[in-house]
Amino acid sequence: MIEQMKNQQTTGNINEKANLIWSIADIIGQGLYKPHEYGKVILPMTVIKRFNDTLLPTKQAVLDKYEEVKNFEVKDGFLESAAGYSFYNISPFTFENLVADSEHIEANFRTFLAGFSDNVQDVLENFEFEKEITKLANNGMLFLIIQEFNKKSAYMGADVISSADMGYIFEELVRRFSESYNEQAGAHFTSRDIIYLMTDLLISEEKDTLIEEGVVKTVYDQTMGTSQMLGCMEERLELLDEEAEITTFGQELNPETFAIAKADMIIKGGRADNMRQGNTLSDDKFKNYTFDYCISNPPFGIDWKVEKNAVEAEAKLGDNGRFGVGLPKISDGQQLFDLNGLSKIKDTGRMAIVHNASPLFSGDAGSGSSEIRRYIIENDWLEAIVQLSTDAFYNTGITTYIWIMSKNKPAHREGKVQLIDASKMYEKRKKSIGNKRNDITEECRDMIVKAYGEFQNKVYTLDDKTCESKIFDNVEFGYNKIVIESPLLDEDGNVVKKKNKPAVDTSKRDTENVPITEDIDSYFNREVLPYNPDAWIDKSKTKVGYEIPFTRYFYKYVAPEKADDIAARISNIEAKLMASLKSLFGEDGEANE
């Protein structure tokens, strides 16, 4: 009930504020900016207005305190105390008195921005907003935009809009601007229904312990975006323990979404320095850190050419780096985030990460992709993979999977992997948002988490929706790829020999994937020799591979329709068609009036 009330409140705030803010974009869209450029103005202005409104109640107290301490060498602590937050603004301006002086709007606005504390200055620098201010002022639009943001309906103080609600609003704005960019399918945002499923799966196995012993946890998101996953994880843990001590850490490549994440953390009073900007793969901002949880949705289907030199150099470090296990194909770097995440969780740590289908099976035996799967499975870190429905994300309609990994599996999961087909466990949306047509409702989520928690071979049903769980031994996913050679024959059909050994006919070279649970020679004697008596295995070329053929495990055979039934159905359709034609044209073939 509490969650439903929160959802209702959030939905109202999102729709009202996001639509209002989006409408302001129409002002700058009158020839000055193209749709995909609106975010350059609207996102920083929204953050600035959020800061402004949050500080309004203590504005005068800060100005008074500044007069007292302005000559002190260290004054941040005094001003933060007066503001009631870990940031402040010492300028005499607010949005309200800025619009009272339209003639000096640019100078006054710049003074207003310069009055913010250093941590806010860092946020604004990442937006690179300076040049946009000049552009807006020179075209007579700066005053109009500030005036629109100053409307009573545009109030965004923390006393009215919670951090969670503001996160939704930022998320919705970023999503809309992202659609204007027509970004690649892999550069998508994770909706809250999926995030809550990930968080609930992460804490499911240890919920009782967390409640009993109290929550003191660290959470890391290696591709944090606007930090909504971190916020949701914090929320979930605090529901278990009101006095929970949660410390969040995140790294983000995009400077604008990083700025939003840091702004949110500043207003919440958290450790804003734990939000760091940079490329996770080539510029790790958390070297030698480990965390209790890692939760993330890295880009998939995106190449790692930019990071290639740094990643390959670190791979050469072997166990002293993050990528010594192997490297995936250059066109898709998502498995690199598996390796980074695993290097960042404690020996008792857990990770939830979103992927497309590629990490399940891409790459042949011995390839980097296969070796990464082997590394995860042979270390017994893979707990479960949950298949979601198509059309679950805003910017892509493809099938996605949540991988749950743990460095310390509970005893009943040791040596096992759980696969859950939850592709039918969703509700259709009344109105799609971009590509998102399906929602994982609270009831659907609970059913998926139940399937995960019970850890059985079982089909779960909710109304007309099903969710199926299957348990496999780790070794089920491994295989030996063997190379089968055949002798080269001369014109008379005799075996050609070199150094008293049969020469190889490379045109007849073949390979077989032998389940790792099966003896290679027994397989060869049974499956190959009866059809090729002269063949042999070149055991120097045998490679171990791992793949997870998820779709095959859940394939349901559907018997084809009987020929008589098809014929009857066709005859019925023909009869209806002829009746329609006679009704339209009449018996004599002339059209009826």
Side-chain angles (χ1 to χ4, degrees), residues 547-563:
E547 66 176 18
I548 304 170
F550 200 105
T551 303
R552 189 179 77 204
Y553 290 134
F554 290 95
Y555 172 75
K556 298 289 190 299
Y557 173 75
V558 178
E561 192 175 359
K562 294 180 180 178

Side-chain angles (χ1 to χ4, degrees), residues 577-593:
L577 179 61
M578 291 305 298
S580 297
L581 290 173
K582 287 179 181 178
S583 173
L584 180 63
F585 292 105
E587 294 291 340
D588 56 1
E590 294 293 329
N592 292 325
E593 295 183 1

Side-chain angles (χ1 to χ4, degrees), residues 283-346:
D283 183 20
D284 180 12
K285 298 296 186 182
F286 294 100
K287 287 181 180 178
N288 302 318
Y289 280 68
T290 55
F291 310 98
D292 295 299
Y293 298 111
C294 174
I295 181 169
S296 55
N297 178 13
F300 41 72
I302 306 296
D303 69 62
W304 48 283
K305 293 176 183 175
V306 172
E307 302 89 349
K308 184 175 184 290
N309 289 341
V311 168
E312 289 181 343
E314 187 165 349
K316 291 177 181 177
L317 299 176
D319 293 341
N320 294 320
R322 294 170 291 168
F323 310 121
V325 175
L327 301 177
K329 55 187 178 183
I330 194 71
S331 61
D332 187 357
Q334 60 188 306
Q335 285 182 289
L336 292 174
F337 291 98
D338 287 330
L339 296 178
N340 176 72
L342 287 167
S343 75
K344 291 285 187 284
I345 57 175
K346 298 176 181 178

Side-chain angles (χ1 to χ4, degrees), residues 79-138:
L79 296 171
E80 288 172 4
S81 295
Y85 291 94
S86 62
F87 69 104
Y88 54 84
N89 188 308
I90 57 172
S91 83
F93 295 107
T94 64
F95 270 56
E96 188 169 348
N97 57 24
L98 281 171
V99 298
D101 185 4
S102 60
E103 290 186 15
H104 303 97
I105 191 68
E106 181 181 2
N108 291 346
F109 187 57
R110 290 186 183 278
T111 299
F112 166 68
L113 295 181
F116 278 113
S117 48
D118 288 344
N119 50 1
V120 174
Q121 298 300 334
D122 179 54
V123 170
L124 300 179
E125 285 175 12
N126 277 281
F127 280 117
E128 298 183 349
F129 192 42
E130 276 288 317
K131 58 184 179 182
E132 307 305 333
I133 295 173
T134 303
K135 186 175 180 180
L136 291 166
N138 290 344

Side-chain angles (χ1 to χ4, degrees), residues 20-34 38 41-42 45 135-136 139-151:
L20 172 69
I21 295 166
W22 184 255
S23 70
I24 298 175
D26 292 338
I27 296 174
I28 64 174
Q30 298 172 9
L32 189 58
Y33 289 88
K34 295 176 181 177
Y38 292 172
V41 174
I42 299 303
M45 282 298 296
K135 186 175 180 180
L136 291 166
N139 287 273
M141 289 187 179
L142 182 61
F143 175 80
L144 293 175
I145 288 173
I146 293 175
Q147 186 178 53
E148 289 296 312
F149 270 103
N150 190 49
K151 287 181 176 178

Side-chain angles (χ1 to χ4, degrees), residues 163-342:
S163 179
D165 285 0
M166 200 66 213
Y168 272 112
I169 293 166
F170 280 129
E171 191 176 75
E172 175 65 7
L173 290 173
V174 173
R175 183 191 65 79
R176 294 190 190 187
F177 294 131
S178 170
E179 286 183 349
S180 299
Y181 276 102
N182 192 26
E183 290 184 329
Q184 301 176 58
H188 49 267
F189 301 94
T190 318
S191 58
R192 293 298 177 96
D193 56 339
I194 295 172
I195 297 177
Y196 283 135
L197 174 59
M198 294 172 73
T199 61
D200 290 0
L201 290 170
L202 268 181
I203 66 177
S204 171
E205 289 287 325
E206 51 185 7
K207 186 180 293 185
D208 293 340
T209 303
L210 291 171
I211 293 172
E212 183 180 332
E213 298 180 0
V215 178
V216 181
K217 295 290 183 180
T218 53
V219 187
Y220 166 67
D221 185 349
Q222 56 192 322
T223 54
M224 71 174 174
T226 58
S227 77
Q228 300 314 303
M229 281 190 169
L230 293 174
C232 289
M233 192 68 187
E234 189 172 9
E235 174 192 324
R236 277 316 203 227
L237 291 169
E238 287 174 348
L239 283 174
L240 298 179
D241 177 6
E242 290 182 359
E243 299 179 356
E245 296 179 27
I246 313 300
T247 310
T248 56
F249 301 78
Q251 181 162 348
E252 170 59 24
L253 173 61
N254 183 287
E256 292 178 345
T257 47
F258 159 73
I260 291 171
K262 185 165 184 177
D264 181 54
M265 186 59 70
I266 290 171
I267 290 173
K268 284 197 297 189
R271 300 178 186 176
D273 288 344
N274 290 348
M275 307 290 103
R276 301 181 184 178
Q277 198 270 328
N279 190 311
T280 298
L281 300 181
S282 59
D283 183 20
D284 180 12
K285 298 296 186 182
F286 294 100
K287 287 181 180 178
N288 302 318
Y289 280 68
T290 55
F291 310 98
D292 295 299
Y293 298 111
C294 174
I295 181 169
S296 55
N297 178 13
F300 41 72
I302 306 296
D303 69 62
W304 48 283
K305 293 176 183 175
V306 172
E307 302 89 349
K308 184 175 184 290
N309 289 341
V311 168
E312 289 181 343
E314 187 165 349
K316 291 177 181 177
L317 299 176
D319 293 341
N320 294 320
R322 294 170 291 168
F323 310 121
V325 175
L327 301 177
K329 55 187 178 183
I330 194 71
S331 61
D332 187 357
Q334 60 188 306
Q335 285 182 289
L336 292 174
F337 291 98
D338 287 330
L339 296 178
N340 176 72
L342 287 167

Side-chain angles (χ1 to χ4, degrees), residues 418-435:
Q418 182 180 19
L419 302 183
I420 300 174
D421 179 5
S423 61
K424 301 179 183 66
M425 192 56 65
Y426 66 88
E427 289 282 354
K428 207 77 177 171
R429 292 184 60 86
K430 292 180 180 178
K431 184 179 180 181
S432 63
I433 307 178
N435 288 99

